[in-house]
Amino acid sequence: MSIAITGATGQLGRLILKELMHSQPAEGIIACVRDLEQGSVFEEQGIQVRFCDYDQPESLEQAFAGVSKLLLISSSNSDDAVRLRQHKQVIDAANQASVAQLLYTSFAFIRDNADIPSNVHSSTEHAIQATGIPYTFLRNALYTDFVGVLGLNEAVAAGELRYLPGDWTFNSVTRQDLAGAAAKVLIRQGDDHVNNIYELAAPQGWTFPDLAAALQTLTGKSISLRPDPEIQNWIYGFLRKIDTASTSNDLIKLTGRPLIPLAEAIKPFITLK
């Protein structure tokens, strides 16, 4: 069985490859990359590297030749029309290459939300289903990385975390945990995950008081909370467009391990002294 991953040099792609290497022979893994020079680090580990550019359809079918399972990591392009075109070109190439199973990193709980980014992901899911290729949709929740724009270092310095008032609950998860789930699905033999959809969100949401408590745990400093209606931060507009509250046990079932705790997940986004 050969496993191929698109966008392999991205943050999520690299983590999935690392997880796969724990249990899969390197020669059965294919890293599909836009920049062959960046892919050289994978070749050093024995992983096969193939050129694969979402914007160059002629590169895609060759990249997917002989692939049993293909993981399409969604495009990071900021233009949704471009993203959807890129995804459809990958799907068409996978169909032409007779890929046996197509996995896609979609977005969690998109059926309940018709707004961006849901439309791109739901359209991509429909396009995959229309081909008849056996599929698995890994609907990834919001990355916990979003805390990086919430002013955590400023909160630690001031002893106060300011946030926009509202009933905020977050089902966010780390790329590391998502990578673990993707790897488990990719290495599984048989039809266990075929034509399944997984909502890869946290089993329990967290709140701003939880975030303040995590900051206190990491820094040893007292952090109070202050709702501030005057906050001007683009992230809150984005958060209102998506489902940040729904939860699921799919992620912990697939990984077979507890998720990375909130305090550990936010550690890269604060400066510890």
Side-chain angles (χ1 to χ4, degrees):
M1 180 180 69
S2 59
I3 297 170
I5 299 173
T6 70
T9 55
Q11 293 184 66
L12 181 60
R14 288 177 181 272
L15 288 171
I16 295 171
L17 287 174
K18 185 176 180 180
E19 290 277 349
L20 287 174
M21 289 289 285
H22 293 321
S23 57
Q24 289 292 109
E27 58 268 22
I29 303 172
I30 301 167
C32 298
V33 303
R34 284 188 303 173
D35 188 329
L36 291 174
E37 186 175 344
Q38 287 190 32
S40 62
V41 66
F42 302 137
E43 288 182 317
E44 294 169 2
Q45 301 172 63
I47 295 172
Q48 185 180 165
V49 175
R50 295 182 183 179
F51 177 66
C52 170
D53 189 326
Y54 294 169
D55 289 316
Q56 298 185 36
E58 65 277 7
S59 74
L60 299 174
E61 192 172 338
Q62 291 182 335
F64 305 154
V67 168
S68 304
K69 292 185 177 182
L70 171 65
L71 172 60
L72 165 57
I73 294 182
S74 58
S75 166
S76 59
N77 195 289
S78 59
D79 186 320
D80 286 339
V82 172
R83 294 177 76 194
L84 187 56
R85 185 190 72 236
Q86 291 173 331
H87 292 174
K88 287 182 175 178
Q89 288 173 169
V90 172
I91 294 164
D92 289 343
N95 200 18
Q96 289 297 316
S98 300
V99 168
Q101 184 179 354
L102 180 56
L103 296 85
Y104 172 61
T105 59
S106 190
F107 200 82
F109 307 111
I110 57 174
R111 297 303 183 200
D112 299 323
N113 190 310
D115 209 336
I116 294 172
S118 305
N119 56 0
V120 173
H121 294 294
S122 59
S123 295
T124 300
E125 288 186 7
H126 285 307
I128 291 171
Q129 290 171 323
T131 67
I133 301 173
Y135 64 85
T136 306
F137 298 146
L138 304 173
R139 290 182 174 173
N140 295 345
L142 181 70
Y143 294 150
T144 303
D145 294 30
F146 86 92
V147 301
V149 299
L150 293 178
L152 301 190
N153 284 309
E154 292 82 358
V156 172
E160 180 182 75
L161 177 62
R162 296 165 57 243
Y163 68 98
L164 193 69
D167 186 20
W168 299 105
T169 301
F170 303 106
N171 55 14
S172 70
V173 290
T174 65
R175 284 184 178 85
Q176 184 65 62
D177 284 325
L178 293 171
K184 285 294 181 67
V185 175
L186 284 165
I187 65 176
R188 182 73 176 180
Q189 300 283 355
D191 297 332
D192 286 3
H193 301 297
V194 169
N195 295 345
N196 280 352
I197 299 173
Y198 297 108
E199 305 287 357
L200 302 184
Q204 182 176 349
W206 58 268
T207 62
F208 278 111
D210 295 323
L211 181 58
L215 286 173
Q216 291 183 178
T217 297
L218 289 171
T219 65
K221 297 180 179 180
S222 178
I223 310 291
S224 63
L225 282 171
R226 179 161 70 93
D228 183 355
E230 301 301 317
I231 286 181
Q232 299 293 320
N233 190 333
W234 65 269
I235 191 65
Y236 291 103
F238 173 75
L239 292 172
R240 285 197 173 108
K241 293 178 180 179
I242 62 176
D243 183 342
T244 67
S246 295
T247 59
S248 169
N249 288 318
D250 288 351
L251 185 53
I252 57 173
K253 286 180 179 178
L254 287 176
T255 60
R257 65 195 186 204
L259 302 189
I260 294 171
L262 180 61
E264 186 68 23
I266 69 171
K267 190 181 291 185
F269 305 100
I270 63 173
T271 302
L272 295 174
K273 296 182 180 179

